[in-house]
């Protein structure tokens, strides 16, 4: 048995050595045969599927230009930056174990420290021997929401809905670790449950990290590309009663360049909407922080429509504090002008594959985001709900399965919150060149 496993690893290493001259095909060894695939990255595996790895990645270069509310002075500003620069390695070992390592060199997609260094977007192992149940451990984003479940490579708009900004902890690992159990029942039901320990910046007085619990359930009676009917429900909660934390609810309103984690952005001239809360919220101020999410989608042929709704409540603990409530939703419609249907895998949408290699696939979309929060504490005590309405109109060109060029126009209107010069509306445009392998 040991010899067989060693032969699998040795054969994989040999395949790497010859892959520079091998475009595709099967390599015969004294153990299991090796299959090398070079379409969409480098993939090497044994024919008995006991061992495999795939090397891939994504590069997303963005340029944005914006004015009005999006800037401190109301003038025009711009930003150019790598939104994501991922190197990805994943595969299977010993038949029953899967692994995934994604490293982001851009540091604009997340992480827990500012600067130019990259970070591990995901580093996880999963036991897949109980199929269709999967047990995942390590660093990964918690499962919450339809648009988050869709890879950033294939999400329709360059930036996901502003509604997620109302509870940015629900589907972000925040530099922590966790365990998640997920699985399917038949062809239409999917569910997951996960427990996440946040990073060292969120610890209680005894030194314990803040724990977060997530649940997601999906029912999709129609679940094929171009024929989708999808419903989902989500729940996330964390206990904040014994810890200080950044309690601000903030949103970039569809323009990442107003403030990024490293790279070129608008700097001190950028402006983000603060809907509620305060930084450095003291220990004992609040108790439970919970968020509920609903999701629905329908697709027929090249047309799709999807929507999600989030409601968050941060329960006050101290006598001088009031609850913070926030809710938001979006509605998005998309249509592929060249006729292709968006792929769908149970619980999430996937890529659009161009049917015409010369023309590629052309997609147009519109999304409306509406977010609001009520906070009767401190600076927000005498203010009615802070609300923002965001319109997103864009086009995607899938030149082929590796290259995608995108652009969208964003306009926002904000109530009861302005920048330093009094603007309550703003406009912007975002362009992206993407390459995946």
């Amino acid at each position: 048995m040991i010899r067989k496993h060693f032969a699998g690893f040795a054969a994989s290493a040999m395949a790497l050595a010859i892959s520079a001259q091998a475009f595709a095909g099967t390599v015969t060894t004294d153990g299991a045969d090796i299959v090398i695939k070079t379409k969409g990255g480098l993939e090497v595996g044994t024919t008995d599927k006991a061992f495999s790895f795939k090397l891939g990645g994504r590069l997303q270069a963005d340029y944005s230009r914006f004015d009005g509310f999006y800037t401190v002075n109301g003038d025009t500003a711009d930003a150019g930056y790598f939104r994501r620069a991922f190197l990805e390695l994943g595969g299977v070992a010993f038949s029953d174990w899967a692994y995934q390592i994604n490293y982001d060199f851009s540091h604009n997609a997340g992480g827990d420290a500012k600067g130019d260094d990259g970070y591990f977007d995901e580093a996880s192992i999963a036991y897949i021997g109980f199929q269709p149940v999967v047990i995942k451990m390590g660093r990964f984003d918690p499962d919450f929401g339809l648009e988050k479940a869709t890879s950033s490579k294939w999400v329709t708009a360059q930036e996901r809905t502003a509604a997620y900004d109302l509870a940015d902890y629900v589907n972000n690992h925040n530099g922590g670790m966790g365990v998640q159990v997920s699985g399917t029942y038949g062809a239409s039901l999917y569910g997951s449950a996960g427990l996440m320990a946040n990073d060292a910046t969120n610890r209680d007085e005894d030194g314990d990290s803040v724990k977060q619990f997530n649940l997601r359930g999906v029912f999709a009676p129609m679940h094929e590309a171009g024929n989708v009917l999808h419903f989902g429900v989500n729940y996330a909660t964390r206990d904040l009663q014994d810890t200080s934390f950044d309690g601000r609810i903030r949103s970039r309103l569809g323009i990442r360049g107003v403030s990024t984690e490293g790279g070129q952005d608008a700097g001190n001239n950028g402006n983000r909407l603060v809907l509620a809360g305060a930084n450095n919220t003291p220990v004992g101020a609040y108790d439970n922080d919970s968020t509920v999410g609903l999701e629905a989608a329908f697709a027929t042929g090249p047309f799709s429509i999807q929507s999600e709704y989030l409601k968050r409540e941060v329960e006050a603990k101290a006598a001088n504090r009031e609850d913070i409530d926030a809710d938001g939703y979006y509605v998005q419609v998309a249509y592929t002008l060249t006729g292709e249907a968006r792929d769908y895998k149970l619980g999430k949408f996937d890529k659009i594959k161009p049917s015409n290699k010369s023309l590629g696939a052309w997609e147009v979309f519109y999304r409306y985001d509406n977010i609001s929060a009520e906070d009767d504490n401190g600076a927000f005590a005498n203010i009615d709900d802070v609300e923002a309405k965001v319109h997103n109109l864009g086009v995607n060109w899938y030149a082929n399965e590796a290259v995608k060029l995108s652009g969208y126009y964003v306009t926002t209107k904000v109530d009861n919150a302005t920048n330093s010069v009094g603007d309550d509306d703003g406009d912007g445009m975002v362009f992206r060149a993407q390459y995946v392998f």
Side-chain angles (χ1 to χ4, degrees):
M1 182 65 69
I2 294 176
R3 181 180 178 183
K4 179 181 178 181
H5 292 159
F6 176 80
F9 281 117
S12 297
M14 182 186 68
L16 272 179
I18 67 173
S19 61
Q21 299 180 4
F23 294 97
T26 301
V27 178
T28 302
T29 71
D30 59 354
D33 288 348
I34 295 284
V35 176
I36 302 174
K37 299 179 181 179
T38 58
K39 183 179 180 180
L42 174 63
E43 185 174 359
V44 179
T46 55
T47 53
D48 61 5
K49 299 183 179 181
F51 300 93
S52 70
F53 71 85
K54 181 176 182 179
L55 181 65
R58 73 192 77 170
L59 180 66
Q60 297 172 344
D62 286 14
Y63 174 79
S64 56
R65 192 169 181 85
F66 40 88
D67 61 15
F69 182 84
Y70 290 108
T71 60
V72 173
N73 57 18
D75 294 337
T76 300
D78 67 350
Y81 50 92
F82 287 112
R83 181 65 173 89
R84 295 177 181 89
F86 281 17
L87 187 63
E88 305 165 356
L89 177 66
V92 175
F94 300 100
S95 300
D96 292 335
W97 294 91
Y99 59 92
Q100 185 65 46
I101 302 172
N102 299 341
Y103 192 82
D104 183 12
F105 291 89
S106 75
H107 203 78
N108 276 329
D112 54 2
K114 294 183 178 180
D116 296 328
D117 296 335
Y119 82 110
F120 285 101
D121 175 74
E122 179 169 347
S124 67
I125 59 174
Y127 184 72
I128 57 177
F130 295 144
Q131 290 286 359
V133 175
V134 175
I135 304 173
K136 181 188 286 190
M137 299 154 282
R139 173 175 291 184
F140 54 89
D141 287 337
D143 196 5
F144 191 107
L146 170 61
E147 205 174 37
K148 179 62 176 181
T150 301
S151 169
S152 65
K153 297 180 289 188
W154 312 120
V155 70
T156 302
Q158 288 95 308
E159 296 296 336
R160 294 184 175 97
T161 174
Y164 284 166
D165 295 336
L166 298 179
D168 57 2
Y169 73 94
V170 298
N171 49 26
N172 193 320
H173 59 64
N174 297 308
M177 300 284 183
V179 58
Q180 175 181 285
V181 179
S182 62
T184 60
Y185 182 79
S188 301
L189 293 174
Y190 165 84
S192 69
L195 179 65
M196 182 71 64
N198 288 327
D199 70 358
T201 61
N202 289 315
R203 292 188 178 275
D204 63 23
E205 294 176 310
D206 297 326
D208 287 335
S209 60
V210 172
K211 305 303 189 297
Q212 173 183 327
F213 179 67
N214 275 49
L215 283 173
R216 182 175 184 233
V218 169
F219 173 54
M222 297 159 52
H223 43 263
E224 299 176 350
N227 186 35
V228 175
L229 183 60
H230 167 112
F231 302 99
V233 60
N234 305 266
Y235 177 73
T237 184
R238 59 179 182 171
D239 185 358
L240 299 174
Q241 63 178 330
D242 295 323
T243 183
S244 60
F245 67 103
D246 184 349
R248 291 174 296 179
I249 299 178
R250 301 184 295 172
S251 177
R252 295 183 175 92
L253 300 176
I255 303 290
R256 179 79 182 191
V258 299
S259 177
T260 59
E261 304 292 339
Q264 178 193 349
D265 60 19
N268 294 330
N269 193 33
N271 185 53
R272 294 172 64 175
L273 173 65
V274 180
L275 294 96
N279 195 6
N280 299 320
T281 301
V283 174
Y286 293 98
D287 193 354
N288 188 60
D289 185 1
S290 59
T291 304
V292 174
L294 302 175
E295 56 190 69
F298 171 74
T300 177
F303 173 81
S304 67
I305 181 171
Q306 66 185 69
S307 180
E308 294 184 66
Y309 170 79
L310 275 76
K311 182 173 179 58
R312 177 185 181 185
E313 181 179 6
V314 187
E315 297 178 356
K317 181 180 180 182
N320 62 341
R321 296 278 177 168
E322 299 289 338
D323 292 352
I324 299 176
D325 296 294
D327 66 349
Y329 66 91
Y330 76 90
V331 179
Q332 174 181 284
V333 292
Y335 186 80
T336 311
L337 300 175
T338 45
E340 293 89 346
R342 180 176 296 275
D343 281 352
Y344 177 85
K345 299 177 181 178
L346 187 57
K348 61 184 179 182
F349 282 103
D350 203 56
K351 68 178 68 175
I352 292 178
K353 299 178 181 177
S355 57
N356 187 316
K357 294 182 179 180
S358 299
L359 181 62
W362 288 85
E363 177 187 39
V364 293
F365 66 88
Y366 167 77
R367 188 183 72 207
Y368 173 72
D369 300 331
N370 185 293
I371 58 175
S372 64
E374 180 182 359
D375 182 3
D376 294 327
N377 300 280
F380 296 91
N382 298 319
I383 299 176
D384 293 331
D385 290 4
V386 177
E387 182 179 12
K389 304 169 184 176
V390 188
H391 300 271
N392 312 264
L393 179 64
V395 58
N396 295 315
W397 179 38
Y398 300 82
N400 49 55
E401 294 187 27
V403 176
K404 176 185 174 185
L405 302 179
S406 308
Y408 77 158
Y409 168 74
V410 182
T411 182
T412 187
K413 173 70 174 178
V414 178
D415 295 330
N416 296 322
T418 60
N419 63 6
S420 60
V421 294
D423 283 335
D424 58 4
D425 55 20
D427 299 271
M429 300 187 72
V430 182
F431 303 94
R432 172 174 296 172
Q434 170 180 290
Y435 178 75
V436 301
F437 64 93

